[in-house]
Amino acid sequence: MSQPPANPPGSRFVDDYLLYLLARASHLISAEFHDQLRRRGISVPVWRVLASLVGSSGETVTGLAETCLLQQPTMTKLLDRMVRDGFVKRTQDAKDRRVVRVALTTRGEVTAADLVQAAKQHEAEVMARHPEAEALAIKTLLRAIIARQTRPRRG
Amino acid sequence: MSQPPANPPGSRFVDDYLLYLLARASHLISAEFHDQLRRRGISVPVWRVLASLVGSSGETVTGLAETCLLQQPTMTKLLDRMVRDGFVKRTQDAKDRRVVRVALTTRGEVTAADLVQAAKQHEAEVMARHPEAEALAIKTLLRAIIARQTRPRRG
DNA sequence: AGGCGATGAATGCATTTTCATGCTAATCGG
DNA sequence: CCGATTAGCATGAAAATGCATTCATCGCCT
């Protein structure tokens, strides 16, 4: 464990800062699932793209970037790699020739389907672990989530 | 605006996925404040370190990394830059010579104080804009936040 | 005391991300 | 229909990040 600081606990600015609580809760909960991705050799951005393309017949690069919380040039390069690795394919849009439509390949669909199932199961576990997630005020609730996520690695 | 996909809206997997809703809500709300940081020439990781060090007499590198949601080597390199830019200073821990204590310089304190004030004001605006943030179920609530954050840039 | 695993921080290299910019296609105004 | 503007995507150099590893110190245990 890391040596806690000389700062009285609970007094830090960040611990009462909504944006930080959101980021931290998101980070902590996601970290669990990211471990699963890691074991399968899938990076987080790749997973986000796969998840975004499930059930779609073709998304734009910019649209994907926004969905995946990435910038457009980052998405372009990520898609380069995903095309190279056989997860997605690019096609020209029929109506607007500036637009590139991105869709899953067969391999991409298989991988995405597997991961989505794992994600749903993980989500169910998370919801089961945080029953108040359906009823409590967000800040209090996120704080509780953070506390529970932080310490008890085993249930 | 990006041409919405050929996918029926509201049907995407990610739009009902807790981890995505958390990440997206966090990203969207934070993006507002990150704009303010940008105008002042402060990067997000630097802001996080500054905010983490306010009121502290010295945090460890590993502790800061965890607080700032970064990995330890990333934090080491970030601190290199922040030392170079005069925001923080490193000192040896008295008891444990492995430990490096990181603290704000005077410049760091001034910058941090300014930013913390801006952050608090922004947080108040966010809370005012999302009154249910104190009473609603998280998923429904986050979804509402996302919807409101996404479209209406002006209130 | 002395060896040993564990902890804290730093480093090096490969990969990824960012920022600014360029290019092509579509749209708008006259 | 033409010129100007905007939207969508790609690119290139610089910066940041991730990952594995290394180095130093500490705590423990006999």
Side-chain angles (χ1 to χ4, degrees):
Chain A
M1 304 299 155
S2 62
Q3 185 81 334
N7 207 19
S11 74
R12 300 189 309 174
F13 160 69
V14 292
D15 287 325
D16 189 46
Y17 181 44
L18 172 64
L19 273 58
Y20 178 70
L21 297 176
L22 267 172
R24 185 156 178 82
S26 178
H27 182 87
L28 287 174
I29 294 183
S30 293
E32 285 183 348
F33 185 65
H34 294 171
D35 282 346
Q36 294 192 229
L37 292 176
R38 212 138 174 284
R39 280 179 223 120
R40 303 178 202 220
I42 305 283
S43 75
V44 173
V46 166
W47 152 240
R48 285 190 178 154
V49 172
L50 292 176
S52 301
L53 288 176
V54 168
S56 166
S57 59
E59 304 289 320
T60 68
V61 174
T62 302
L64 273 178
E66 188 181 337
T67 300
C68 296
L69 314 176
L70 299 174
Q71 316 207 194
Q72 176 264 309
T74 305
M75 180 55 70
T76 289
K77 287 155 187 169
L78 173 58
L79 290 174
D80 289 345
R81 286 171 255 146
M82 291 184 70
V83 168
R84 182 200 59 189
D85 295 342
F87 288 120
V88 299
K89 53 180 178 257
R90 279 191 246 235
T91 58
Q92 288 281 114
D93 185 272
K95 317 280 184 187
D96 187 337
R97 285 190 304 179
R98 292 171 304 182
V99 170
V100 170
R101 291 282 164 188
V102 181
L104 293 173
T105 60
T106 301
R107 177 178 183 207
E109 279 182 10
V110 171
T111 306
D114 174 43
L115 290 175
V116 164
Q117 200 230 333
K120 283 181 174 169
Q121 180 176 338
H122 173 250
E123 179 180 27
E125 291 169 12
V126 170
M127 292 303 285
R129 196 182 319 149
H130 304 295
E132 344 72 294
E134 335 198 25
L136 241 60
I138 182 169
K139 214 161 155 180
T140 303
L141 180 135
L142 287 179
R143 208 155 19 221
I145 289 174
I146 288 172
R148 245 192 321 267
Q149 285 284 139
T150 302
R151 289 182 288 94
R153 182 50 52 199
R154 56 164 290 92
Chain B
M1 303 302 154
S2 65
Q3 185 81 335
N7 208 19
S11 75
R12 299 190 308 175
F13 160 70
V14 292
D15 287 324
D16 190 46
Y17 181 44
L18 173 63
L19 273 58
Y20 178 70
L21 297 176
L22 267 173
R24 184 156 181 79
S26 177
H27 181 87
L28 287 174
I29 294 182
S30 294
E32 285 184 348
F33 185 66
H34 294 172
D35 282 347
Q36 294 191 230
L37 293 177
R38 212 136 175 285
R39 282 179 221 119
R40 303 177 203 220
I42 304 284
S43 75
V44 173
V46 166
W47 151 241
R48 285 192 179 153
V49 172
L50 292 176
S52 301
L53 288 176
V54 169
S56 166
S57 60
E59 304 290 319
T60 68
V61 174
T62 301
L64 273 178
E66 187 180 337
T67 299
C68 297
L69 315 175
L70 299 174
Q71 313 207 197
Q72 176 264 310
T74 304
M75 180 56 69
T76 290
K77 289 158 188 171
L78 173 58
L79 290 174
D80 288 345
R81 287 171 253 147
M82 291 184 70
V83 168
R84 180 199 53 176
D85 296 342
F87 288 120
V88 299
K89 52 180 179 261
R90 280 191 247 236
T91 58
Q92 287 281 115
D93 185 271
K95 316 281 185 184
D96 187 338
R97 286 191 304 179
R98 291 170 304 180
V99 170
V100 170
R101 292 281 164 189
V102 181
L104 293 173
T105 60
T106 301
R107 176 176 184 210
E109 278 182 11
V110 171
T111 306
D114 174 43
L115 290 175
V116 165
Q117 199 229 334
K120 283 181 174 168
Q121 180 177 337
H122 173 250
E123 180 181 25
E125 291 168 12
V126 170
M127 291 305 284
R129 195 183 318 147
H130 305 295
E132 345 72 294
E134 334 199 26
L136 241 59
I138 182 169
K139 216 162 155 179
T140 302
L141 181 136
L142 286 178
R143 209 156 15 222
I145 289 173
I146 288 173
R148 244 190 325 264
Q149 286 284 137
T150 303
R151 290 185 287 94
R153 182 48 54 200
R154 55 169 293 93

